Amino acid sequence: MPIITQYIMSAEQFLVTFRGVRGSLPSPLLSHDIEAKIAKVLEMAKPEDLKDESARQKFIESLPEPVRGCYGGNSACVQLEVGGKNLVFDCGTGLRMLGLDLMEGEFAKGQGEIHIFLSHTHWDHIMGLPFFLPLFTKGNRIIFYGAHTDIKERLMRQQDPRYFPVSFNSFTADVEVRTIDDQKSVVFGDESDPITVTWKEMDHPGKSFSYRVEYRGRSVVYATDAEYKKLSPEDLKPTIDFFKDADLLIFDSQYTFIEGVEKEDWGHSSTFIGVDIALEAGVRNLAFFHHEPTYSDFKLLNVLEQTRKYLTAIGGDSKLHCFLARESATRDLLAG
């Protein structure tokens, strides 16, 4: 789906936009990636597809996503426009483009407010923060949340002058960092129409936290950077309960199933494990996220195709829809 840009926040919204989808580090397209896409287009083209501008445009629009575009190379960042609030999960390099878009609206006037939740502070999840332009405009209100007890210290250390020339304390916006380790939830809005954010610690080096956002009977779970080594019903029950009946589960699937076995304790999972868990939890839509940086778009598509075959084999008549998270794609959870 194309990005839905909406700077006038509304209570009628529950939009989820992928701003950065890669794991471990940013991975921009290289020349050989583009050449591979061009070669694929030439293979697929017929003379009638090239006869005039209209035919060419129709042909381009018919091409599969990984051929006509890309899944994206920025590291983790997901935006929620929900119930009149702007929530963001993680500050990977995708945060930079989000900031540029926000500066087209009220944030350019110093009238914006945004709430940023951090799963953890590995580099790929915070490296976009120093380049988030709304931080440099007086009047904007930007609140960070994290369940690590020293979350503010971690953010400040990233911008130590030995590593970055602009300190965390030099932002001109109104910046606040809240530690939420002693809370069970963060609630926005009024009691009659609340937006509720809860979290759960996951198995990842240094601890990572998944987040669940609920609004008007719909829910999204952001579950990046997590490994599922113990797969018995008893061990998985807390995770299944947290994911239960989510309308959208954003799931760390960096590795293939075999790679996940080979890279035990690296803190990531696979599409097959995602399907197993999503089926057990009654999830409706499953977005594979935190893509391996060495995978081409064609490799990612192949993984998705194999995963859909796996779902067909074990899922029976399940209506679970699984797909690859793609930068700039938006899903509307209140639609339909």
Side-chain angles (χ1 to χ4, degrees):
M1 295 176 62
I3 186 169
I4 302 173
T5 302
Q6 181 65 272
Y7 297 112
I8 301 176
M9 301 298 291
S10 166
E12 306 304 319
Q13 290 178 333
F14 198 158
L15 304 179
V16 181
T17 301
F18 296 100
R19 295 290 185 163
V21 299
R22 290 280 173 172
S24 298
L25 75 166
S27 52
L29 285 179
L30 301 176
S31 295
H32 66 81
D33 298 311
I34 297 172
E35 289 173 3
K37 291 176 184 288
I38 293 172
K40 191 67 175 179
V41 170
L42 294 175
E43 287 176 16
M44 300 174 69
K46 301 174 182 178
E48 56 267 30
D49 295 324
L50 309 175
K51 63 182 180 180
D52 56 38
E53 183 178 350
S54 177
R56 290 191 292 272
Q57 184 61 39
K58 185 176 180 181
F59 171 62
I60 291 171
E61 292 173 356
S62 73
L63 292 170
E65 280 186 357
V67 177
R68 72 173 185 268
C70 64
Y71 289 114
N74 282 301
S75 63
C77 182
V78 175
Q79 177 191 16
L80 270 62
E81 296 168 275
V82 51
K85 297 292 183 180
N86 220 328
L87 311 185
V88 172
F89 293 85
D90 280 338
C91 300
T93 56
L95 187 72
R96 184 184 73 87
M97 285 303 301
L98 170 58
L100 292 174
D101 287 346
L102 292 176
M103 291 299 286
E104 295 294 321
E106 59 188 1
F107 285 85
K109 306 172 186 176
Q111 299 172 0
E113 178 177 297
I114 197 163
H115 303 266
I116 301 177
F117 291 81
L118 292 160
S119 64
H120 64 309
T121 54
H122 285 166
W123 280 340
D124 53 325
H125 293 259
I126 60 173
M127 61 174 58
L129 194 158
F131 304 95
F132 187 53
L133 285 184
L135 285 165
F136 298 91
T137 301
K138 186 176 181 180
N140 287 332
R141 187 162 183 251
I142 300 169
I143 305 98
F144 294 91
Y145 303 80
H148 296 84
T149 56
D150 59 346
I151 189 68
K152 184 172 183 179
E153 179 187 354
R154 295 181 182 210
L155 297 180
M156 294 181 70
R157 281 190 175 186
Q158 180 191 213
Q159 292 177 233
D160 182 290
R162 292 170 292 179
Y163 312 122
F164 195 79
V166 180
S167 74
F168 189 84
N169 286 329
S170 67
F171 296 133
T172 52
D174 178 9
V175 177
E176 181 180 354
V177 182
R178 298 181 183 176
T179 302
I180 55 175
D181 66 303
D182 60 347
Q183 299 175 228
K184 292 183 178 180
S185 65
V186 172
V187 180
F188 302 98
D190 56 50
E191 294 182 359
S192 63
D193 198 22
I195 305 159
T196 304
V197 183
T198 53
W199 49 92
K200 179 185 180 304
E201 183 179 335
M202 309 302 285
D203 187 356
H204 187 75
K207 292 198 295 189
S208 179
F209 293 84
S210 290
Y211 290 94
R212 182 180 179 116
V213 181
E214 299 183 59
Y215 181 64
R216 293 192 175 181
R218 302 295 173 92
S219 57
V220 58
V221 176
Y222 177 74
T224 190
D225 291 66
E227 188 171 3
Y228 307 87
K229 290 181 288 189
K230 299 178 180 179
L231 299 176
S232 70
E234 294 78 15
D235 289 319
L236 277 180
K237 187 178 186 306
T239 296
I240 298 300
D241 290 344
F242 191 72
F243 292 175
K244 193 69 175 178
D245 297 328
D247 293 283
L248 174 61
L249 170 60
I250 301 169
F251 188 85
D252 178 342
S253 56
Q254 181 159 342
Y255 304 134
T256 63
F257 181 78
I258 298 300
E259 288 171 338
V261 173
E262 294 172 343
K263 297 179 178 181
E264 185 176 355
D265 295 329
W266 287 38
H268 301 286
S269 190
S270 68
T271 57
F272 281 24
I273 296 295
V275 166
D276 290 340
I277 291 176
L279 287 173
E280 182 66 25
V283 168
R284 295 170 181 80
N285 296 281
L286 174 60
F288 298 124
F289 184 76
H290 208 267
H291 305 318
E292 164 62 37
T294 64
Y295 286 179
S296 70
D297 287 344
F298 295 122
K299 168 71 172 179
L300 289 173
L301 183 60
N302 178 260
V303 171
L304 177 64
E305 289 172 347
Q306 296 304 314
T307 304
R308 284 177 170 167
K309 290 178 182 177
Y310 177 70
L311 172 60
T312 299
I314 71 164
D317 59 355
S318 169
K319 298 295 193 296
L320 175 65
H321 172 58
C322 55
F323 61 98
L324 295 167
R326 177 174 59 84
E327 283 180 31
S328 295
T330 295
R331 299 187 72 86
D332 184 351
L333 296 192
L334 292 184

